[in-house]
């Protein structure tokens, strides 16, 4: 295994390509390294200079007086592989490649050179980060092999000296974005453990570095900027480790709008953009997504201060010296899904004793400027925290002038230590640096954005609830239930299974399917219809006609021998007109299904993460409404129900305007079964499409009205 410790925490380092010219990146790295009191040994390697910034320079790595732990390579791309080979041969354990010009460039030798880097790293078992990166920073060691201006100020310590815990590790595929998190967080007195930019990830990948940080005592919160995950199998194990350790992962994943990589045969695949699978995996493992740099930093701040005292629910008490700000925060909190309850009489009575007649203790607690001066934020927060009606407290103030907090610093610090409910501060004026420091020293995060402040409280409550459920949930069964009949169909030479065949697979897994007959001629259709009590549906069955309604090769509500015979002939004629050379298996004769709520249920086998179960509102408008939710297969009953509750149209299933509730239990059972099929046949099935599924009234079950299974290419 590569020694990531040698990369991030070396005792000696060679900078290959070092320069004394601080106007170029090779000199910037040496300058930034020298800005901080790193206690390790730094050796410049340069063919042009005998000395770089007061340090003796060496012409080659092999000329160094010792075998260094790691090397920083910032030389022309053409020379990188040979230099890395030299490092490996000399016993160097790790390398950070800053140089660009590899696989990120289209055409040329870049991809070939990047493959060589990977081969050399594997040959010598080296921990190689990059290429095309901005380097990294280890704040505890004051070690910054980077050219980022975010860490080039020698007068600003990399870490707030009073923050010993709650440290934030950053891993970013984008160098600029990685150090942007630090640049936004450090003025807010947030403690960072590492900022690592991984670039092209030719060797080490982001989640390998996250795994390393999770194993260290110095990182409690992870922030990530993700473009892609090159080895998707890394994600589940690392994300689960983080969840079990109570160390939240906060990410932004770019590329939400990218279209799928292939033309989709089914509605399910058409709805499964490249981002859907990532989102589903994040949901499964409690990874928190942020929408912009500031929001991500603010979320990390909440967990940094309160990771051991997360709110038990979403009820918030709001205290303020400004009635307007309190009302605005109440509206904002409600919009973010928080609850702002009226405080109980006992708590209100205790607060009222300190308020002027024009104050209020209902919630928000408007202490007015008078009560804030005489009672203080610490005591007001403490009184509100005693209420059983709230799970967290938001204190609103003006942190422009820090003298208010200096006066009650000891009391504020004591409340932060003793309370079991998180308290966050929001300033409606822009704080001076000392405001962030004093409030931070007292033990609280300080926010300047109302929405972010409320959002963070919600994120912390959600994370706590999710983690508690995650830790107590039984393992999802992955025992295969492959049946002989399912194998016969799914291992056949045909790539597309028609509705009739797909339903046979469902039936083999215990899904109730009404008696249907595949008729090869009109007479057989008439005979089948006579057995069915009531009108029938006639549908063409062809692996070359995936969407029967588009071909107008469906006849519904057909009743009587003459009508069935004519319907059969019409369906066949429409199919031949639509696609003359289509292979036709026959016409499916089935009873008309009772009315019900239309649902689409399906599976898309994502290239990165495997089969993804999808549930959504069905019908012909499904692509327009796009009210769908994904989860990695298999899912259990609880997760299936949670998926349904995420649908915007869930109220339709619960029953609205006098309509009865739908049979959600039957739908959940079907979701679990379909996810089991997808997992059992993950190497064979590309897509499953059940559209529509009609969910009948509670206790009446459901009907799978149409079905399609598409196998993977080559299966």
């Amino acid at each position: 295994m590569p020694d990531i410790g040698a990369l991030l925490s070396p005792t000696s380092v060679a900078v290959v390509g070092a320069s004394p010219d601080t106007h170029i990146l090779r000199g910037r790295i040496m300058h930034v390294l020298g800005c901080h009191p790193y206690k390790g040994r730094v050796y410049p390697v340069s063919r042009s200079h005998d000395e770089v910034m007061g340090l003796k320079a060496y012409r080659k790595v092999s000329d160094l007086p010792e075998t260094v732990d790691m090397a920083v390579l910032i030389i022309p791309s053409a020379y990188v592989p040979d230099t890395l080979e030299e490092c490996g041969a000399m016993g160097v354990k790790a390398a950070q490649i800053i140089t660009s010009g590899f696989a990120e460039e289209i055409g040329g030798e870049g991809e070939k050179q990047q493959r060589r880097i990977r081969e050399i790293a594997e040959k010598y078992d080296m921990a190689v980060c990059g290429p095309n990166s901005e380097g990294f920073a280890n704040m505890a060691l004051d070690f910054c092999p980077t050219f980022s201006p975010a860490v080039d100020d020698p007068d600003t310590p990399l870490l707030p000296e009073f923050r010993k815990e709650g440290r934030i590790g950053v891993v970013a595929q984008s160098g600029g974005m990685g150090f942007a998190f630090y640049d936004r967080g450090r003025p807010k007195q947030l403690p960072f453990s590492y900022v690592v930019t991984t670039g092209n990830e030719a060797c080490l990948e982001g989640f390998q570095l996250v795994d390393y940080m999770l194993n260290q005592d110095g990182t409690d919160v992870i922030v990530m900027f993700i473009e892609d995950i090159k080895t998707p199998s890394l994600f589940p194990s690392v994300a689960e480790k983080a969840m079990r350790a109570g160390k939240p992962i906060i990410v932004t994943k770019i590329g939400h709008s990218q279209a799928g990589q292939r033309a989709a045969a089914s509605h399910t695949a058409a709805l499964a953009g490249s981002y859907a699978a990532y989102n589903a995996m994040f949901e499964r493992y409690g990874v928190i997504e942020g929408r912009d740099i500031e929001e991500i930093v603010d979320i990390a701040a909440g967990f940094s201060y309160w990771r051991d005292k997360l709110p038990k629910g979403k009820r918030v008490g709001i205290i303020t010296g400004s009635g307007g700000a309190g009302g605005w925060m109440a509206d904002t909190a409600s919009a973010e899904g928080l609850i702002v309850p009226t405080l109980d009489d006992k708590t209100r009575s205790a607060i009222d004793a300190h308020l002027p007649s024009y104050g209020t203790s209902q919630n928000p607690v408007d202490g007015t400027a008078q009560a804030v001066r005489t009672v203080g934020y610490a005591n007001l927060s403490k009184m509100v925290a005693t209420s059983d009606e709230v799970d967290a407290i938001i204190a609103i103030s003006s942190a422009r002038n820090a003298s208010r907090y200096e006066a009650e610093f000891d009391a504020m610090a004591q409340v932060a230590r003793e309370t079991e409910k998180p308290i966050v501060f929001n300033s409606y004026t822009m704080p001076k640096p000392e405001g962030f420091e004093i409030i931070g020293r007292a033990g609280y995060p300080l926010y300047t954005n109302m929405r972010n402040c409320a959002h963070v409280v919600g994120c912390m409550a959600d994370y706590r609830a999710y983690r508690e459920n995650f830790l107590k949930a039984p393992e999802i069964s992955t025992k295969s239930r492959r049946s002989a009949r399912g194998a016969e169909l799914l291992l056949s030479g045909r790539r597309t299974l028609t509705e009739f065949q797909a339903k046979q697979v469902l039936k083999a897994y215990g899904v109730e399917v009404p008696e249907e007959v595949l008729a090869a001629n009109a007479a057989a259709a008439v005979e089948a219809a006579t057995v069915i009590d009531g009108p029938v549906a006639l549908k063409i069955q062809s692996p070359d006609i995936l969407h029967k309604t588009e071909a107008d090769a469906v006849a519904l509500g057909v009743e009587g021998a003459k009508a069935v015979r004519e319907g059969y002939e019409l369906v066949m004629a429409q199919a031949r007109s639509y696609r003359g050379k289509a292979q036709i298996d026959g016409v499916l004769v089935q009873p008309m299904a009772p009315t019900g709520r239309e649902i689409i249920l399906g599976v898309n086998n994502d290239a990165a993460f495997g089969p993804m179960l999808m549930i959504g509102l069905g019908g012909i408008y499904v692509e327009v409404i796009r009210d769908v939710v994904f989860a990695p297969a298999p899912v259990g009953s609880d997760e299936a129900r949670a998926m349904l509750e995420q649908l915007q149209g869930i109220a339709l299933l619960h029953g609205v305007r006098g309509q009865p509730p739908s049979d959600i239990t039957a739908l959940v059972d079907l979701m679990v079964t379909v996810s089991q099929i997808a997992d059992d046949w993950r190497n064979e099935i590309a897509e499953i499409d059940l559209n529509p599924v009609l969910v009948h009234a509670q206790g009446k079950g459901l009907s799978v009205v149409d079905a399609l299974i598409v196998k993977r290419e080559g299966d």
Side-chain angles (χ1 to χ4, degrees):
M1 287 289 293
D3 186 354
I4 296 176
L7 174 75
L8 299 183
S9 302
T11 58
S12 55
V13 57
V15 181
V16 183
S19 169
D21 185 355
T22 58
H23 294 93
I24 61 176
L25 297 185
R26 294 185 291 119
R28 289 280 306 157
I29 285 185
M30 290 298 297
H31 168 72
V32 174
L33 272 171
C35 281
H36 305 285
Y38 170 59
K39 293 183 173 57
R41 298 173 295 284
V42 178
Y43 299 104
V45 176
S46 171
R47 294 183 180 275
S48 306
H49 305 280
D50 295 328
E51 181 181 290
V52 176
M53 297 185 185
L55 298 173
K56 174 179 170 59
Y58 301 84
R59 292 186 61 80
K60 297 180 300 189
V61 173
S62 55
D63 293 340
L64 297 177
E66 65 172 309
T67 299
V68 295
D69 289 332
M70 68 91 71
V72 180
L73 274 56
I74 184 165
I75 53 179
S77 59
Y79 302 106
V80 167
D82 288 344
T83 304
L84 188 65
E85 178 83 43
E86 179 188 11
C87 289
M90 292 299 299
V92 178
K93 299 175 183 178
Q96 174 72 53
I97 304 176
I98 307 293
T99 308
S100 59
F102 294 91
E104 77 277 7
E105 295 189 357
I106 300 174
E109 291 289 304
E111 178 62 44
K112 181 179 178 182
Q113 294 285 70
Q114 185 160 308
R115 283 198 299 271
R116 277 200 64 201
I117 289 173
R118 187 181 305 113
E119 291 165 358
I120 294 166
E122 291 174 353
K123 175 181 177 181
Y124 293 104
D125 196 26
M126 296 176 70
V128 177
C129 192
N132 185 34
S133 78
E134 201 165 312
F136 67 88
N138 179 333
M139 280 60 183
L141 290 186
D142 290 304
F143 180 55
C144 300
T146 176
F147 56 84
S148 173
V151 290
D152 70 351
D153 182 3
D155 297 324
T156 301
L158 294 172
L159 276 167
E161 57 86 17
F162 64 90
R163 294 297 313 277
K164 305 300 183 184
E165 297 179 340
R167 294 189 178 178
I168 302 163
V170 177
V171 177
Q173 285 177 275
S174 164
M177 291 299 97
F179 280 98
F181 293 123
Y182 174 82
D183 200 38
R184 299 291 184 95
R186 180 61 183 87
K188 296 182 177 183
Q189 301 298 315
L190 298 185
F192 289 79
S193 55
Y194 303 95
V195 175
V196 185
T197 70
T198 58
N200 292 4
E201 297 189 350
C203 307
L204 283 179
E205 299 180 28
F207 277 96
Q208 289 177 286
L209 291 158
V210 171
D211 189 49
Y212 174 83
M213 293 180 191
L214 291 174
N215 291 330
Q216 308 301 304
D217 291 335
T219 302
D220 300 296
V221 182
I222 303 291
V223 166
M224 299 190 74
F225 179 94
I226 297 174
E227 295 172 5
D228 63 356
I229 299 177
K230 291 183 168 54
T231 306
S233 59
L234 283 172
F235 173 83
S237 60
V238 176
E240 180 172 349
K241 178 187 285 188
M243 176 58 68
R244 294 190 180 282
K247 297 184 176 184
I249 298 176
I250 307 160
V251 308
T252 186
K253 164 70 176 75
I254 63 170
H256 294 199
S257 60
Q258 292 179 356
Q261 297 301 306
R262 59 179 174 77
S266 73
H267 293 284
T268 305
L271 290 162
S274 61
Y275 172 65
Y278 278 93
N279 182 258
M281 295 300 288
F282 295 160
E283 287 274 352
R284 167 65 63 85
Y285 292 98
V287 172
I288 302 164
E289 290 189 82
R291 288 167 282 195
D292 54 53
I293 297 172
E294 199 72 27
E295 181 181 87
I296 288 175
V297 169
D298 282 348
I299 295 171
F303 283 100
S304 175
Y305 279 92
W306 294 109
R307 66 202 175 283
D308 295 328
K309 297 179 181 179
L310 298 177
K312 296 180 179 179
K314 293 192 172 185
R315 303 170 303 167
V316 294
I318 299 171
I319 61 172
T320 179
S322 164
W328 199 347
M329 176 58 83
D331 288 345
T332 303
S334 297
E336 287 295 319
L338 302 179
I339 301 166
V340 186
T342 301
L343 297 180
D344 59 279
D345 291 342
K346 181 180 178 181
T347 301
R348 291 190 63 187
S349 178
I351 296 171
D352 284 340
H354 302 279
L355 298 186
S357 59
Y358 49 90
T360 176
S361 61
Q362 293 182 83
N363 196 21
V365 175
D366 182 5
T368 73
Q370 177 180 327
V372 167
R373 283 194 303 271
T374 57
V375 182
Y377 285 105
N379 286 327
L380 283 173
S381 297
K382 184 177 181 180
M383 285 188 282
V384 174
T386 62
S387 173
D388 292 335
E389 301 298 321
V390 301
D391 304 301
I393 294 90
I394 297 175
I396 304 173
S397 67
S398 171
R400 185 72 174 179
N401 188 330
S403 60
R404 168 70 260 166
Y405 310 104
E406 290 176 335
E408 58 171 317
F409 176 84
D410 291 341
M412 289 176 61
Q414 181 177 358
V415 170
R417 289 192 303 269
E418 295 178 354
T419 183
E420 292 301 317
K421 297 176 181 179
I423 301 169
V424 298
F425 274 75
N426 186 91
S427 177
Y428 48 81
T429 54
M430 289 306 297
K432 292 183 178 179
E434 54 266 31
F436 281 109
E437 180 171 350
I438 292 171
I439 293 175
R441 282 180 179 274
Y444 308 90
L446 173 60
Y447 297 101
T448 59
N449 181 297
M450 280 191 175
R451 193 196 66 79
N452 282 6
C453 182
H455 182 66
V456 169
V457 175
C459 284
M460 293 193 296
D462 285 340
Y463 182 84
R464 174 174 177 153
Y466 188 89
R467 182 167 182 262
E468 288 175 351
N469 288 331
F470 187 93
L471 295 178
K472 70 183 181 182
E475 292 292 327
I476 296 173
S477 173
T478 56
K479 182 179 180 181
S480 177
R481 292 164 49 190
R482 290 191 181 206
S483 67
R485 179 56 176 154
E488 178 186 343
L489 292 164
L490 289 166
L491 299 179
S492 66
R494 176 175 285 186
R495 181 162 186 246
T496 302
L497 303 188
T498 62
E499 177 184 348
F500 179 72
Q501 294 169 320
K503 285 182 176 178
Q504 298 308 302
V505 176
L506 295 177
K507 192 174 182 179
Y509 275 78
V511 176
E512 185 175 339
V513 176
E515 290 301 322
E516 305 173 331
V517 175
L518 183 61
N521 52 56
V526 171
E527 182 180 353
T530 59
V531 178
I532 296 173
D533 182 18
V536 299
L538 306 173
K539 303 178 183 178
I540 199 69
Q541 298 295 289
S542 168
D544 301 315
I545 303 176
L546 302 183
H547 304 300
K548 300 178 279 292
T549 54
E550 292 179 6
D552 203 19
V554 175
L556 302 177
V558 182
E559 193 167 11
K562 181 176 182 295
V564 171
R565 185 177 293 105
E566 292 174 350
Y568 178 93
E569 298 296 347
L570 177 62
V571 167
M572 290 291 288
Q574 292 287 73
R576 292 193 180 100
S577 174
Y578 179 77
R579 187 154 292 158
K581 295 183 179 180
Q583 176 186 338
I584 296 177
D585 296 344
V587 173
L588 186 63
V589 183
Q590 61 185 199
M592 292 292 294
T595 60
R597 183 64 60 190
E598 286 194 32
I599 292 292
I600 180 172
L601 175 62
V603 170
N604 178 66
N605 204 326
D606 182 73
F609 296 110
M612 292 286 157
L613 183 73
M614 186 205 76
I615 187 72
L617 295 179
I620 61 174
Y621 301 113
V622 63
E623 286 91 348
V624 177
I625 299 173
R626 299 187 69 86
D627 185 11
V628 294
V629 178
F630 287 83
V635 302
S637 298
D638 290 344
E639 188 171 8
R641 287 184 183 275
M643 291 175 69
L644 291 175
E645 291 301 323
Q646 292 181 56
L647 293 172
Q648 297 174 36
I650 183 59
L652 297 174
L653 290 172
H654 288 314
V656 293
R657 292 184 178 272
Q659 295 182 349
S662 301
D663 198 334
I664 291 178
T665 298
L667 180 56
V668 165
D669 290 344
L670 181 62
M671 292 168 66
V672 172
T673 299
V674 170
S675 78
Q676 180 71 51
I677 295 171
D679 187 51
D680 286 351
W681 302 94
R682 61 175 50 236
N683 295 323
E684 290 81 18
I685 292 178
E687 301 163 22
I688 300 174
D689 201 42
L690 310 185
N691 183 34
V693 174
L694 296 181
V695 186
H696 309 309
Q698 189 171 309
K700 301 295 184 181
L702 52 75
S703 300
V704 179
V705 176
D706 203 354
L708 173 72
I709 295 178
V710 180
K711 292 161 57 180
R712 298 177 68 171
E713 293 277 9
D715 294 324

